[in-house]
Amino acid sequence: MTVYQLTDEEISAYNAPYPSIEYKAAIRAFPAMFVDIEMQNIIAWQTLGAFHNPFMFNAGEFDRSLGSEENQQKWVEHVPGSDGNDHRRFLAGHFIQDDVGEELAIHLLNFLRSTTPDEPLQAGSPTFNFRYCEILLSYLDGSGVSAEIWGTPGVNYCPQDQWEALNLDEIADQYDALLAIPNGPRFFVVDESLGGGIILPSPDDEYRLFGELEMRLLTSVDLTDSQGEDVAYVPGKVLRDNTWLFYEGRRVYELTDIHGQVYIMQSFSRLEDANLQMDDLKHLGDRLNLPEGWTFSSRILSEPLQVSAIDGIAMVLKDDLGNSYQLVP
């Protein structure tokens, strides 16, 4: 896996941590992580997808897997902090440091000297930057309108091709709904969901196929105040009893209404902006068409924060880009 022949001393140095085969369990398990076993890597992938500090991907031209141009570009597009940095391809194999060590070292030193971290990276968590999608099926409910919320959490990560292939009019007709309202793709900005069944499925869950996309019934929402539609800045009553947990050091995003009530973001959406990234959220106030008297703010938590539903009801609203927020009691 190197371009240049290693010396006997170099080979011995690589072998030193493995005096016998029983020491190789971890290194033998490692290749399995490259075959799309999602749950092994998803937290790291989610966290790096929100990594706003300087990031650089260097590849070896002769590394036939990790070093492919396609793989390099995937990382550059996924990590927000990669923008504008000098991603290079070296005449090297997998172990660039062996093949062109001095050239690589100079390149890395120049990168470190010319970039400045924006904020410390907050470690990943079970839910942070977790991708999912929902469909709301609305129905008349007495004198009001309610909607069933079907979603992919705990089922899949909402493959983009399956999501784009959905025919919402056909879905509404199939289930005799007033409307089938798309809600996604979405990404949680919370770290954990304590209690309730929002993230993890239970044996009693009901499942449906929407096109080729499998979803489960998550909960319901009262849409009476918005006349059955998903209207920005109009709260709806969502039936759930979970508590959102935000870790200390996490950046949070808040809307404050004209009465001083605070709504904290629980997930951001790509429904209106397909390129929206976690890193864009702290400047979101420049893009929102807020109602008169409302404000948007962002801050980093100095201690953990829990946001709970009250008596099984969470007041939830969306901004005009589709990002969702829950009222802080």
Side-chain angles (χ1 to χ4, degrees):
M1 297 182 73
T2 60
V3 173
Y4 303 102
Q5 184 67 39
L6 298 179
T7 66
D8 290 343
E9 290 80 7
E10 289 169 328
I11 292 173
S12 295
Y14 273 113
N15 285 331
Y18 313 108
S20 69
I21 194 166
E22 64 188 21
Y23 289 83
K24 295 186 176 182
I27 202 66
R28 284 176 172 267
F30 182 65
M33 299 176 74
F34 294 117
V35 294
D36 198 28
I37 302 176
E38 289 183 323
M39 294 312 296
Q40 287 191 4
N41 299 313
I42 191 64
I43 293 176
W45 179 251
Q46 290 169 346
T47 300
L48 286 166
F51 186 68
H52 41 260
N53 288 323
F55 177 92
M56 181 173 65
F57 190 108
N58 300 297
E61 286 281 2
F62 306 111
D63 185 351
R64 289 174 290 181
S65 54
L66 293 180
S68 69
E69 290 188 49
E70 179 183 14
N71 191 62
Q72 184 180 28
Q73 189 60 34
K74 177 183 71 175
W75 279 99
V76 169
E77 292 176 354
H78 179 66
V79 183
S82 66
D83 290 350
N85 293 321
D86 187 8
H87 313 283
R88 289 193 183 178
R89 303 187 62 74
F90 292 91
L91 294 177
H94 180 72
F95 299 108
I96 305 174
Q97 70 275 16
D98 282 326
D99 291 334
V100 289
E102 183 175 349
E103 184 181 356
L104 175 65
I106 292 171
H107 180 52
L108 292 177
L109 286 172
N110 288 336
F111 171 71
L112 294 172
R113 290 167 177 162
S114 62
T115 57
T116 303
D118 182 16
E119 293 179 8
L121 172 66
Q122 188 66 21
S125 60
T127 306
F128 183 72
N129 216 25
F130 179 105
R131 176 189 167 106
Y132 69 103
C133 296
E134 294 176 341
I135 291 178
L136 279 63
L137 298 179
S138 62
Y139 298 92
L140 291 175
D141 185 7
S143 60
V145 180
S146 64
E148 298 174 349
I149 302 178
W150 295 81
T152 62
V155 184
N156 57 64
Y157 296 106
C158 185
Q160 187 66 25
D161 57 340
Q162 295 181 12
W163 176 252
E164 291 177 351
L166 295 179
N167 186 313
L168 298 171
D169 290 335
E170 290 182 0
I171 291 172
D173 290 342
Q174 181 179 0
Y175 294 106
D176 295 324
L178 299 175
L179 290 171
I181 303 170
N183 193 23
R186 310 189 64 81
F187 297 80
F188 281 116
V189 298
V190 302
D191 288 292
E192 295 185 36
S193 175
L194 308 177
I198 299 299
I199 306 299
L200 297 177
S202 71
D204 298 327
D205 285 341
E206 183 180 350
Y207 291 80
R208 281 180 182 171
L209 273 178
F210 295 89
E212 296 182 357
L213 185 59
E214 187 175 20
M215 294 185 171
R216 64 188 180 95
L217 182 60
L218 300 177
T219 185
S220 63
V221 58
D222 186 339
L223 296 179
T224 302
D225 289 344
S226 59
Q227 299 180 341
E229 298 188 10
D230 214 9
V231 179
Y233 305 108
V234 177
K237 297 178 181 179
V238 177
L239 299 179
R240 63 170 181 238
D241 56 3
N242 71 307
T243 295
W244 297 126
L245 172 62
F246 299 83
Y247 289 172
E248 177 183 346
R250 180 71 68 205
R251 181 176 284 278
V252 295
Y253 315 93
E254 296 169 321
L255 289 175
T256 303
D257 70 14
I258 195 170
H259 304 294
Q261 296 184 115
V262 176
Y263 294 80
I264 192 165
M265 187 184 292
Q266 61 187 26
S267 64
F268 77 88
S269 172
R270 289 189 179 153
L271 188 61
E272 299 295 333
D273 181 355
N275 297 312
L276 190 64
Q277 293 275 2
M278 187 78 72
D279 192 48
D280 300 325
L281 300 180
K282 59 187 172 184
H283 305 297
L284 199 62
D286 298 333
R287 301 182 56 188
L288 298 178
N289 297 311
L290 294 171
E292 185 176 355
W294 288 52
T295 60
F296 173 89
S297 61
S298 170
R299 62 189 175 98
I300 295 177
L301 295 174
S302 58
E303 59 184 9
L305 173 65
Q306 294 190 15
V307 179
S308 301
I310 300 175
D311 297 328
I313 296 177
M315 297 300 295
V316 176
L317 58 76
K318 293 182 181 178
D319 61 30
D320 40 292
L321 291 178
N323 309 306
S324 64
Y325 305 74
Q326 180 170 319
L327 179 65
V328 178

